[in-house]
Amino acid sequence: MFKLKRTINDLGGGPAGSNELTTRLVMQALADNADMIVMPDIVWGFKTTKADAATSQLKRLEVLLKLVTQTQPMLADAVTRRKVPGGEVVTLTIDGAMIPWGGILGSQEGVAEEDLEKVRRALGNLDFAISFGLVGDRVVLSIGDSSEHLDKLVAPAGGAGLSSTKPFEPLREHNGERITAISYMSEALARAVAPSTEDIDQLAKLADTLADSADLPEGAAREARAMLERISAGYKRRLPEPGPALGYAFLTDKGYEGFTWDWSKNGVLDGSKRLDLLEHTGGAPLASLVMRTKPHPDQFDDFVSWGKMGWDFALKYLLPKADEDARERFEETQRQFAPLAERLVTVLREKFIPSLADGQVAFVIDGKSTVARLHRDVPAAAEPLPLVEPAVALRLSDAKLFRAGLSDLFELADDFVDLIRSLNPGSVPEGYRIPDPEKSDIEGGALWVFSLERTGIDGQISPSIAISDSTAVFSLVPKQAGRMLAATQQRTGAPLATFGEPLAGAAALDVAGLVDVVEPWLLYFFRVGMLQQRNGFVDGSSVAGPDLDEGQFKDGITAMGVIFDALRCIRMAVAETSTKSDATVVHWRNLIQDLPAEPK
């Protein structure tokens, strides 16, 4: 397979090939869009209470710059001072033609010299302006092609500024709050930075370059272009339409609260109904994220089609470049695995996708179980350690179909093991089968547990699947799977959110509880390190306890405790995502409790 691997590396799969190909693609894209290369306008502003001092420093910087630039005739007029609404700025302007772009952008392998020259000319036609000054009570620093954009910082008297536009309407409703942060993205900028079909169209235009660099036969570029154009057409149907976005936060009596508004369209979140999976997060987990999406009806088929197109392209144009022996072995492996891949696609299309049509999914982290040691060969902890319990829950539209899909997957896994054994005898022990899970009835449904007893891992840890008529839970801890399957309304531990209204997403993070889980584990790992240092080894008969806390290590534990106490001040954080008529809104809140004052 060496020659095939080398061919893939030549296409950019290897480290060196990847860097060279990326450089060629970037330079070619710049050359194809040379007329669109501009110097972006960027402004930083810093509030000052000492305007006189800022003005004095501005004059000193101006004098210093003039002393430097006047020694160079080409920079004699580079420093200017001008008034802008609300203040004045000093600007250093450098003509792009003065920069040696020929040396910076030298010859690039795979990029035509005339294309490189287009980029050099475009950069040479730019001006690079650095401005600094005082506008109102703000010290500003700006980078752009001039300082003219600073004229827009202050709205004219009686004029309509940015805050009067439609995206700022939600913020105007909170004028009385103690605002701590505001962020805004215009629709124009959102469109500029968002993924678009033009990204793939650009790749389609570079199909010839890719084919040439990989030394592919005639016709490969044409097929690659057609393939990328089909992907672009499918991508376009489900691509979000960018819109403006606004975010702001303010201080409350309990902590901080804020909103983000996004006016993009054609998103994937569905906020038309209540999130039923909020009743299947285990009551009060350490962290949870529940959402409902609305997948495009033909999205899966598109992905399968795109994958098949790419695979067929590789078989047709890349595989023939490998040596005969490698090619024969690859073709035989492909022939054996193809039926399994087709069966997997059928199971996903006909059983899992229909059974999960509701679109709800929940990601949960909990820590209600404890262990003395994770594995029999590692030291035990003097005190039980909280077990981190990750899990995923899915809302079922058809539980019977979902169970049938799982059965098909288990059967497919057994066939996969048999195939591996036949292709490489000895890689899998003769007669080995994936162990069947143990089934038990639990509240609300049934539980399947895959035992890990032979591995030496603590018995509480066993991959498990809990299924009811409406919910499926995947967890590494059977107790958690059963706890999540039983319907229990989620509690946040603080009166921050009820998660009752129709929502597209809901998230909760018990920060203090998470710290309570992390702290003993860090302490345990430090103590295991001390055992290793003191005894030269660690084993399952050792105990990592407080008797190891001595010297600098004890001081470190004390300092670590102070840090964790400070982190516990952030008690809880929650967020709710809803879909309004024309926007997606995230409303978040947190609860902060200061440390008690030390007695005087």
Side-chain angles (χ1 to χ4, degrees), residues 23 256 375 432:
T23 301
Y256 289 90
H375 193 276
Y432 173 81

Side-chain angles (χ1 to χ4, degrees), residues 15 18 22 47 55 66-67 136 239 283 288 326 333 336 364 494 536 541 564 574 593:
S18 177
T22 300
K47 187 172 183 178
T55 301
K66 286 186 174 180
L67 287 175
L239 192 67
S288 66
T333 302
Q336 297 273 10
V364 174
S541 63
F564 282 122
V574 299
Q593 292 181 355

Side-chain angles (χ1 to χ4, degrees), residues 173-232:
E173 296 177 2
H174 293 89
N175 275 341
E177 304 292 351
R178 294 173 285 178
I179 302 295
T180 58
I182 301 173
S183 62
Y184 167 71
M185 180 182 291
S186 68
E187 182 174 343
L189 180 57
R191 290 183 179 278
V193 301
S196 69
T197 54
E198 293 179 359
D199 300 332
I200 298 180
D201 290 340
Q202 188 66 40
L203 283 177
K205 294 177 182 178
L206 295 174
D208 292 329
T209 302
L210 293 171
D212 290 342
S213 64
D215 192 26
L216 297 181
E218 185 178 355
R222 183 175 60 255
E223 289 194 26
R225 191 182 308 111
M227 180 174 64
L228 291 170
E229 288 173 353
R230 286 185 59 186
I231 293 175
S232 178

Side-chain angles (χ1 to χ4, degrees), residues 298-310:
D298 59 356
Q299 179 173 324
F300 179 77
D301 289 335
D302 276 352
F303 288 158
V304 172
S305 174
W306 300 343
K308 188 176 185 305
M309 283 192 300

Side-chain angles (χ1 to χ4, degrees), residues 69-147:
T69 57
Q70 286 177 357
T71 62
Q72 301 292 332
M74 64 181 64
L75 295 175
D77 299 321
V79 179
T80 59
R81 174 191 283 263
R82 64 183 289 261
K83 290 187 177 297
V84 297
E88 58 183 349
V89 296
V90 173
T91 302
L92 170 65
T93 304
I94 299 176
D95 188 342
M98 297 167 53
I99 300 175
W101 296 112
I104 297 174
L105 297 178
S107 298
Q108 301 283 339
E109 184 178 353
V111 182
E113 180 61 28
E114 56 266 27
D115 288 335
L116 282 172
E117 188 57 30
K118 289 181 184 178
V119 178
R120 297 187 193 115
R121 282 199 303 269
L123 293 173
N125 291 330
L126 298 179
D127 286 334
F128 298 85
I130 302 175
S131 303
F132 49 91
L134 188 66
V135 178
D137 60 353
R138 300 295 197 276
V139 174
V140 299
L141 172 63
S142 169
I143 300 175
D145 59 356
S146 72
S147 62

Side-chain angles (χ1 to χ4, degrees), residues 351-413:
K351 295 185 178 178
F352 281 109
I353 291 179
S355 65
L356 300 174
D358 181 81
Q360 283 188 79
V361 59
F363 303 94
V364 174
I365 297 177
D366 217 334
K368 293 183 172 61
S369 303
T370 59
V371 293
R373 53 164 63 90
L374 277 180
H375 193 276
R376 62 185 171 219
D377 294 335
V378 301
E383 298 179 357
L385 298 167
L387 185 61
V388 179
E389 305 167 329
V392 175
L394 303 171
R395 190 66 171 178
L396 302 181
S397 301
D398 189 329
K400 183 177 180 181
L401 195 60
F402 184 79
R403 292 192 189 96
L406 285 178
S407 297
D408 290 345
L409 278 187
F410 295 148
E411 182 180 342
L412 193 61

Side-chain angles (χ1 to χ4, degrees), residues 271-286:
S272 61
K273 295 176 285 187
R274 185 180 178 277
L275 293 172
D276 304 307
L277 276 185
L278 285 167
E279 297 179 356
H280 296 280
T281 60
L286 294 175

